[in-house]
Amino acid sequence: MAPEVFFSVCYLDSRPPKAVRNLHTFSPAVLDGCCRHRVMYADYLDIIPEGGRSVHGIYTTGLEDANLSKLDFWDISSRLRVPA
């Protein structure tokens, strides 16, 4: 997720004050052993284990419970969050 989208979802502002932006860091990340696949009858992709594949994304630090709740609501509430 791009930082601008993250801030829009969590703070309702794609460019919040610097003090808020400094609470979080964003780094490229790779989740090995997983792959994105289409979900039947849905308009989004999900990630499932699949050997030999990898998913590229963003590693974000500084997340609070309130951020996770907003991200869960914005994304897909039917997904399960599991440790990666």
Side-chain angles (χ1 to χ4, degrees):
M1 171 180 292
E4 297 81 14
V5 176
F6 170 82
F7 289 125
S8 292
V9 171
C10 292
Y11 298 99
L12 304 177
D13 185 350
S14 64
R15 188 101 172 119
K18 186 168 178 56
V20 172
R21 292 193 314 265
N22 288 342
L23 296 173
H24 307 282
T25 62
F26 301 88
S27 307
V30 177
L31 185 58
D32 289 323
C34 293
C35 183
R36 285 191 174 98
H37 282 281
R38 292 191 180 277
V39 176
M40 189 181 298
Y41 309 115
D43 60 352
Y44 58 87
L45 302 176
D46 215 343
I47 297 173
I48 62 169
E50 189 169 314
R53 305 291 298 267
S54 60
V55 174
H56 294 258
I58 300 290
Y59 178 75
T60 305
T61 64
L63 296 174
E64 301 287 338
D65 287 341
N67 301 126
L68 294 174
S69 293
K70 289 177 181 177
L71 291 167
D72 285 344
F73 182 79
W74 175 79
D75 193 22
I76 302 296
S77 59
S78 63
R79 295 186 192 188
L80 297 176
R81 188 181 322 129
V82 296

